[in-house]
Amino acid sequence: MSVLITNIGELVTNQPEPDARAGREGSGSGRDGAGPFAAVTGAALVIDEGRVAWTGPAPRAPAADQAVDAGGRAVLPGFVDSHAHLVFAGERGAEFAARMAGQPYRAGGIRSTVAATRDADDDALRANLRGLAAEMLTQGTTTFECKSGYGLTVRDEERSVALAAEVTPEVTYLGAHVVPPEFEADPDGYVDLVCGTMLEACAPHARWVDVFCERGAFGRDEAQMVLVAGLAAGLDARVHANQLGPGPGVQLAVQIGAASADHCTYLDGADVDALVGSGTVATLLPGVEFSTRQPYPDARRLLDAGATVALATDCNPGSCFTSSMPFCIALAVREMHLTTQEAVWAATAGGARALRRTDVGHLGVGARADLVMLEAPSHSYLAYRPGVPLVAGFWLNGQGVVGGQKVVGGEMMVGG
Ligand SMILES: [Zn+2]
């Protein structure tokens, strides 16, 4: 059944020329992934079999089995959150409050999450994970990545990636998050475990391998060992890099061909040069700087140099417990000086590039019909009205939920 969404105030496509001809599925540029930011006003879009079948000016829209009137609202590609840690137990609200009250950061916060995660049964972890995934969807995130990294034993990392695989195909094995307390005296032994038995157990459930390359976590050589082992096991690489200070993470990510170097808060000229023209996306996580009261990354320097920039939440119980991409867009605009167009592109097409996905992050013909509809006429409201829940509805793989009600074609159905 095809669905026509018409009377769209602003349709963000991230495709330079909306394909206004119907029936060209297979030849649309959408198959190659997102282009630069692009939007059409007074637009319509047709969904067929879970894919975008047509976009263009509303008066030229072809007929469809069902129609939905967008009432002048903006429609965007669903947000692509390429960095999140959602498999954990417990919470650290008191630690956050103490940090905001000026008390020094107490090392070991992450260890409390590791202990709680190890103690939790699968059902408790699953319930927390599914709750966060649902929270993301209601805020317009239709694709998200999810990391392990709070288990840090073979059993707990394996069940973490297995649980993550229940809710997303973008599962990341992050056994190299920190060295767990029981390996404090033998960090090399832990790296061996991460590259050996633990990887073997986790690789079948994961698409990505990640490492926290940072002073106090894993150094350049250890990080390289973890990534090389992951690549050999058939995973693709991504790296937590240059978050807390200058370091080798970004250059390692580029050298190894990682899809993304995440954080990028402390970069020197050589780091920026390495990212420009590479296949490695600079993924910025401004919610972390907001929640830890750290300086923001220099996003303008990256963009002006020509690097590809993505925005993600880094949703996790310690350094940033937001699941909201609209909040990150507002931060990127206000605090990192992205234009509203750059920020929305980074949160959609940028995230797709950071996950090496060509089927999401844009609304070209052939793209997955993952859409978000705003209770606003333009994408700029995401930053213009910060903190306001602006998601009026979304379509996930062609299935729509508008105003909390499931939409089958143009019919509103209670539930969903
Ligand atoms: Zn992270």
Side-chain angles (χ1 to χ4, degrees):
M1 178 190 291
S2 58
V3 179
L4 166 69
I5 306 172
T6 188
N7 196 15
I8 299 172
E10 180 193 47
L11 177 66
V12 175
T13 60
N14 292 337
Q15 285 289 313
E17 285 179 37
D19 192 333
R21 288 146 292 182
R24 290 191 67 232
E25 192 174 338
S27 60
S29 55
R31 295 242 177 245
D32 303 324
F37 180 93
V40 195
T41 52
L45 176 146
V46 175
I47 298 170
D48 200 5
E49 295 187 354
R51 299 271 156 179
V52 175
W54 185 93
T55 64
R60 303 217 321 250
D65 299 327
Q66 300 281 347
V68 174
D69 187 339
R73 296 179 182 85
V75 171
L76 284 66
F79 301 124
V80 180
D81 187 349
S82 60
H83 186 138
H85 307 246
L86 307 180
V87 187
F88 65 88
E91 56 83 39
R92 284 151 62 188
E95 177 190 311
F96 174 80
R99 195 160 70 227
M100 291 300 111
Q103 291 179 21
Y105 177 75
R106 274 176 233 274
I110 188 169
R111 289 189 176 178
S112 71
T113 300
V114 170
T117 303
R118 288 175 177 179
D119 282 348
D121 63 25
D122 287 2
D123 286 343
L125 292 175
R126 183 181 284 120
N128 193 45
L129 168 63
R130 295 201 168 198
L132 289 167
E135 193 178 278
M136 285 177 152
L137 186 56
T138 59
Q139 296 170 98
T141 298
T142 49
T143 302
F144 62 93
E145 182 255 22
C146 181
K147 302 174 195 295
S148 68
Y150 292 114
L152 310 183
T153 65
V154 174
R155 168 191 172 264
D156 290 304
E157 284 299 300
E158 181 180 16
R159 68 184 182 128
S160 294
V161 287
L163 287 165
E166 293 178 5
V167 295
T168 180
E170 304 298 342
V171 176
T172 298
Y173 165 51
L174 180 59
H177 195 186
V178 290
V179 175
E182 64 273 18
F183 277 92
E184 202 160 24
D186 181 21
D188 291 343
Y190 186 65
V191 173
D192 288 344
L193 182 68
V194 167
C195 297
T197 321
M198 191 185 281
L199 172 64
E200 235 168 82
C202 292
H205 306 284
R207 180 175 176 215
W208 303 97
V209 60
D210 192 350
V211 56
F212 189 18
C213 182
E214 194 80 42
R215 202 173 305 148
F218 298 89
R220 191 196 185 286
D221 293 348
E222 292 77 22
Q224 184 166 6
M225 283 171 66
V226 169
L227 296 172
V228 167
L231 291 171
L235 305 180
D236 280 331
R238 43 204 322 107
V239 182
H240 279 70
N242 301 53
Q243 176 190 355
L244 303 172
V250 163
Q251 305 229 25
L252 174 63
V254 171
Q255 281 160 22
I256 210 145
S260 179
D262 295 48
H263 287 290
C264 293
T265 310
Y266 291 89
L267 302 186
D268 63 21
D271 296 326
V272 175
D273 290 347
L275 286 164
V276 174
S278 76
T280 304
V281 173
T283 299
L284 308 183
L285 311 164
V288 175
E289 280 78 31
F290 177 87
S291 302
T292 57
R293 216 173 256 152
Q294 296 290 307
Y296 290 94
D298 192 345
R300 278 262 55 96
R301 183 186 186 190
L302 284 163
L303 285 164
D304 294 345
T308 303
V309 169
L311 281 174
T313 61
D314 198 7
C315 183
N316 77 83
S319 61
C320 180
F321 199 18
T322 185
S323 55
S324 171
M325 290 294 278
F327 175 64
C328 294
I329 289 168
L331 284 181
V333 171
R334 170 62 180 83
E335 301 292 333
M336 301 199 298
H337 304 272
L338 271 68
T339 66
T340 59
Q341 297 185 347
E342 287 169 336
V344 164
W345 190 93
T348 54
R353 292 219 183 145
L355 293 173
R356 296 199 167 144
R357 292 276 296 267
T358 57
D359 59 334
V360 296
H362 68 98
L363 297 177
V365 169
R368 254 177 77 106
D370 290 350
L371 285 60
V372 54
M373 183 189 285
L374 301 183
E375 194 55 61
S378 155
H379 74 276
S380 64
Y381 276 57
L382 291 163
Y384 172 46
R385 304 203 67 207
V388 177
L390 287 179
V391 174
F394 54 83
W395 276 258
L396 183 63
N397 208 16
Q399 299 298 308
V401 176
V402 176
Q405 295 186 312
K406 203 168 190 175
V407 179
V408 177
E411 304 291 319
M412 291 286 202
M413 284 180 58
V414 178

